[in-house]
Amino acid sequence: MTRHVSRIAIAVVAVGLAAQLGFAQADRQGCEDHPLLTRPEGFFIEGCKDQEFSSAKFDTADGRKEIEGHLVSVSYRRPATAPAMSGLEIIRNYVNAITAIGGEVTYEGKYSASMKVVVDDREVWVRVMPGGQRSYRLDIVEVQGMQ
């Protein structure tokens, strides 16, 4: 009987350790967070794109606006073993972060939010798009003058 209990105890400890390890997945090689923003705890970088000069569309009160400049897109995911986070919670985290540093929300909806902030005399646009309770994407465009 004690041998059976010992095996069960070992199995429980092993499952617990596996769940803990599942929380800490590594970011995709070559990808990193944008220096302006931090991610919510428990998310890892699934993919990224960094283009010196490109464009993205951001929602505003007047409709969609195409913004050109240095584009950084980062996709985040949360492991299945981690607690889920609602799309609204993800959006509000970024809205609060941008408004805390003097930015403004140009659009906030159920499935995305667009914001802008001026940092070091550069206009920076941020769009957050949750993809369910375990993933989201950030698009960040730093507006640049022509060189």
Side-chain angles (χ1 to χ4, degrees):
M1 180 76 165
T2 57
R3 191 172 183 185
H4 183 65
V5 172
S6 295
R7 285 183 181 168
I8 291 173
I10 290 171
V12 168
V13 169
V15 169
L17 287 173
Q20 290 291 333
L21 293 174
F23 272 27
Q25 280 193 255
D27 290 341
R28 172 165 257 157
Q29 189 173 358
C31 296
E32 58 186 27
D33 294 305
H34 188 276
L36 184 63
L37 298 164
T38 58
R39 69 184 105 159
E41 187 175 330
F43 282 88
F44 64 93
I45 298 176
E46 183 175 52
C48 64
K49 176 173 66 172
D50 189 335
Q51 297 176 312
E52 274 307 311
F53 191 78
S54 191
S55 67
K57 292 182 180 174
F58 293 84
D59 293 313
T60 69
D62 300 323
R64 285 197 150 192
K65 183 175 182 178
E66 190 159 358
I67 306 296
E68 296 179 343
H70 179 201
L71 171 65
V72 175
S73 291
V74 184
S75 297
Y76 295 92
R77 180 160 297 281
R78 195 167 214 179
T81 54
M85 182 180 260
S86 74
L88 179 60
E89 190 176 0
I90 293 167
I91 288 172
R92 290 284 162 78
N93 275 316
Y94 285 98
V95 164
N96 291 340
I98 291 295
T99 56
I101 59 172
E104 68 178 274
V105 178
T106 63
Y107 171 82
E108 184 176 351
K110 187 174 182 179
Y111 302 108
S112 69
S114 295
M115 301 148 274
K116 70 177 178 177
V117 63
V118 176
V119 179
D120 298 329
D121 295 327
R122 284 185 337 249
E123 193 173 75
V124 179
W125 286 75
V126 177
R127 177 176 57 198
V128 58
M129 296 166 291
Q133 296 181 331
R134 299 204 177 277
S135 66
Y136 69 96
R137 186 177 91 206
L138 282 182
D139 290 332
I140 302 165
V141 175
E142 298 176 21
V143 178
Q144 304 167 337
M146 295 302 289
Q147 297 184 19

